[in-house]
Amino acid sequence: MCKTQSEEFRIFIYTIFAIAECRAPCYKKLAIMSVKTLFVGVQHSNAYAKFRPEVSTSLVNRVNDYLNEKMAPPYEHAVDVGCGSGQSTRVLAPHFKKVTGIDVSSTQVKEAKETETPSNVKYYVGTAEALPFVDASVDLVMCSQAVHWFDLDRFYKEVNRVLKPNGVLALSSYKCPLVSYGDEIVTQKMNDIIKEHRTTTLGAFWDSRRPIVDSGYKDIHIPYEDSMDIR
């Protein structure tokens, strides 16, 4: 029987690529930019909710440990930008008084709202470049497999504006999971087929920003000196 290497997948490839402590000055509120709407449609959002990987508690705990180094609990507010159908939002609930998920897609937000959710979690349609929060009101801004869609300069300005002093920005990405059959040769052949399917069969259908994800976000500019990169 073939199975995914789920434990390794959750712990290893769902990694934090940067956790940055933000100390930059506040910025005036930005106008909402015109963005290409992605991940829309009821069917697409329903499938996304079923098949997108869950965020592991080990990832959230590592983010929370870093936050503990920068500011003392209790924590008031965490924001998940590009929350999709809420997989990366709900797991933050035990650590914060309130958690807000923001996504540009109304159908993704609808899907998130229809999923069983802790009472301290809310979802709203919005953009990363115009976060609907007052200055210095957020302890943690988190983005899971989403930051490559953003206008980074405008997003970072908004992060600087909404984070409290010593607040934390956490960005994470994951790679395509591998399979394990029990036989090393068969396993390798199966994973070669998966890779061939992703890169050749589907290659022409990926968005131009997909290589940013495949590289583990290592080429994305992080404008903060106080940061940590975990792979």
Side-chain angles (χ1 to χ4, degrees):
M1 178 182 229
C2 175
K3 63 179 181 179
T4 60
Q5 298 171 337
S6 57
E7 290 305 312
E8 182 178 355
F9 173 66
R10 306 242 184 246
I11 296 170
F12 175 66
I13 68 176
Y14 219 121
T15 55
I16 306 167
F17 80 88
I19 305 179
E21 179 184 2
C22 302
R23 294 199 180 105
C26 295
Y27 293 78
K28 292 182 179 179
K29 195 160 188 174
L30 302 174
I32 296 177
M33 68 179 291
S34 177
V35 296
K36 177 182 177 183
T37 304
L38 302 164
F39 304 103
V40 298
V42 174
Q43 260 191 324
H44 183 106
S45 297
N46 182 261
Y48 193 84
K50 289 180 180 177
F51 300 113
R52 183 183 176 177
E54 296 288 337
V55 173
S56 70
T57 55
S58 62
L59 169 61
V60 175
N61 289 340
R62 186 64 191 90
V63 172
N64 201 52
D65 287 345
Y66 189 86
L67 182 60
N68 287 337
E69 295 174 13
K70 303 304 175 183
M71 59 196 307
Y75 303 122
E76 178 71 19
H77 192 190
V79 175
D80 181 22
V81 185
C83 66
S85 44
Q87 288 93 331
S88 54
T89 315
R90 296 185 289 271
V91 292
L92 298 173
H95 304 282
F96 297 87
K97 184 176 179 181
K98 62 179 179 180
V99 179
T100 304
I102 299 289
D103 200 276
V104 71
S105 169
S106 60
T107 54
Q108 291 281 0
V109 169
K110 183 176 183 294
E111 191 71 42
K113 288 180 176 179
E114 292 176 353
T115 303
E116 185 176 350
T117 300
S119 60
N120 63 331
V121 176
K122 303 296 181 185
Y123 298 99
Y124 300 97
V125 175
T127 71
E129 299 81 9
L131 297 174
F133 311 108
V134 300
D135 297 357
S137 63
V138 176
D139 302 292
L140 171 71
V141 173
M142 187 165 179
C143 306
S144 180
Q145 193 82 341
V147 74
H148 56 287
W149 298 115
F150 304 162
D151 179 324
L152 288 179
D153 289 341
R154 298 182 72 179
F155 170 61
Y156 288 140
K157 286 182 179 180
E158 282 293 84
V159 169
N160 294 336
R161 181 182 66 79
V162 303
L163 278 180
K164 297 176 181 178
N166 297 321
V168 167
L169 167 65
L171 309 175
S172 70
S173 176
Y174 57 86
K175 296 181 181 178
C176 180
L178 302 177
V179 298
S180 177
Y181 186 73
D183 178 277
E184 186 175 342
I185 295 176
V186 175
T187 294
Q188 183 61 52
K189 287 183 177 179
M190 292 176 70
N191 285 318
D192 287 344
I193 292 171
I194 292 172
K195 182 178 179 180
E196 176 72 12
H197 179 68
R198 288 184 63 252
T199 58
T200 302
T201 308
L202 300 179
F205 299 96
W206 290 113
D207 187 272
S208 61
R209 286 161 283 195
R210 179 67 200 186
I212 301 173
V213 178
D214 292 336
S215 71
Y217 286 176
K218 65 181 181 181
D219 297 323
I220 285 185
H221 173 60
I222 306 296
Y224 308 112
E225 292 183 4
D226 187 357
S227 63
M228 180 181 297
D229 188 337
I230 303 174
R231 297 182 184 274

